[in-house]
Amino acid sequence: MDTLNRMATELVDEAIDFADELTIDVHALDGDAAVLDFGVEVPGAVEAGLVLAEIQTAGLATVQTTMDSVADAPLTHVELSTDHPALALLCSQKGGWELATESFEGLGSGPARALVAEEDVYQRIGYREEEDFAVLAVETDQLPDEAVASQVAERTGVPETGVFLPAFATASVTGSVVAAARAAELAVFRLSELGFDPVSVLSANARAPVAPVAGDEAAAMARTTDALAYGAEVHLTVDESFDRFDEVPSVAADEYGRPLDSVFEDVDWDFGELPVELFGPAKVTVDVVGGDTHVVGETSEDVVAESFGL
């Protein structure tokens, strides 16, 4: 198998070739790094969101849309499946790189993180990369500039000519689609944090509703998190049992049960003040090969409907 960054670069090249069809814009920076606007200065699109989710997972996940109802309203849902959960979801898709310069802030996700490999999850999995390309998806309300590309190049050891920065705002069509594709990642990461070996997760399949685009980044963050915490369903197949499967879903006792914009406001949007249990999918089925099947958590259609304004 090629490296995550090389596989993601091939997908980025395809996105550049079909930029018009995907309604994305491509910008070359002074150092020849490429910024792909998936939903910052352009509105974003469903297909663009699906392609970006594939880029974030380095092509190791199948991502598609389906239709279902929430409170009798037909809504787009995103389905993601992968037989490489540790690599696709934790080593690649997960957000974990806080980008900051004098004039820019954003959150990086995608396979470029594996070139730095400073997060604990890389030690648990035993994975890191060296490559000539770095693909970092950036969640931001402004396009990355030369200073951002230089920072990414320096940390990854990749020349700026090999840096690719797909960018999207949370409050965009792309942002809503990409967020809905994170349900499986949240479940596998939560298991890992609880002490379960992520390499023992053999497959992951998930579905979540696509949130309506909110009017600003804060509202979009709350609404897309609601889509996962109250509307996401995940199925995992694992090869060993564990006594903490019931802690994977989003079931924080005090905070759970109301739209998260009010919860976030209670802590002045300081997510570090919130229990980590809140940031998970709503309902999870875990099949243990040769063992039991565990069904934990529950969806809350009423809360999703309230959050979405249905």
Side-chain angles (χ1 to χ4, degrees), residues 18-218:
F18 292 94
D20 290 342
E21 291 84 350
L22 293 171
T23 67
I24 67 174
D25 284 340
V26 182
H27 308 275
L29 299 177
D30 290 342
D32 282 338
V35 172
L36 288 73
D37 184 356
F38 272 82
V40 179
E41 295 181 357
V42 301
V46 171
E47 190 64 28
L50 297 178
V51 169
L52 184 51
E54 290 183 5
I55 291 171
Q56 287 175 303
T57 55
L60 292 178
T62 299
V63 191
Q64 60 190 13
T65 56
T66 186
M67 288 293 295
D68 203 344
S69 296
V70 174
D72 293 326
L75 290 180
T76 302
H77 286 60
V78 169
E79 293 183 349
L80 179 146
S81 62
T82 179
D83 290 323
H84 304 275
L87 291 177
L89 307 181
L90 301 188
C91 292
S92 195
Q93 184 186 29
K94 180 182 174 294
W97 186 332
E98 294 185 4
L99 287 162
T101 68
E102 290 184 2
S103 59
F104 181 90
E105 290 186 357
L107 180 65
S109 62
R113 294 169 37 253
L115 297 168
V116 181
E118 290 180 349
E119 301 164 49
D120 291 343
V121 70
Y122 291 99
Q123 280 68 57
R124 294 179 199 141
I125 295 170
Y127 189 84
R128 72 174 300 141
E129 290 187 356
E130 293 183 6
E131 188 52 88
D132 296 326
F133 307 99
V135 180
L136 188 71
V138 185
E139 188 171 0
T140 175
D141 60 359
Q142 62 186 112
L143 291 178
D145 57 15
E146 178 64 27
V148 175
S150 178
Q151 183 183 108
V152 173
E154 181 178 355
R155 289 200 66 194
T156 59
V158 170
E160 283 193 40
T161 54
V163 172
F164 299 92
L165 302 173
F168 65 100
T170 312
S172 70
V173 178
T174 301
S176 289
V177 171
V178 166
R182 293 186 59 229
E185 174 239 304
L186 291 179
V188 178
F189 179 67
R190 178 75 183 130
L191 265 179
S192 177
E193 289 291 282
L194 290 169
F196 189 79
D197 182 0
V199 178
S200 293
V201 183
L202 304 180
S203 68
N205 298 269
R207 185 182 74 153
V210 175
V213 179
D216 57 63
E217 289 294 280

Side-chain angles (χ1 to χ4, degrees), residues 234-296:
V234 179
H235 179 272
L236 305 176
T237 301
V238 304
D239 66 2
E240 61 180 273
S241 191
F242 189 52
D243 61 0
R244 301 181 70 180
F245 287 138
D246 60 329
E247 298 179 50
V248 174
S250 176
V251 290
D254 295 334
E255 291 80 8
Y256 193 80
R258 55 189 170 114
L260 294 176
D261 58 350
S262 61
V263 175
F264 293 167
E265 287 173 3
D266 288 346
V267 296
D268 197 25
W269 297 85
D270 182 357
F271 298 144
E273 294 296 316
L274 294 170
V276 295
E277 295 87 351
L278 190 62
F279 298 95
K283 190 171 186 176
V284 180
T285 297
V286 184
D287 279 337
V288 181
V289 174
D292 295 331
T293 297
H294 305 261
V295 182
V296 292

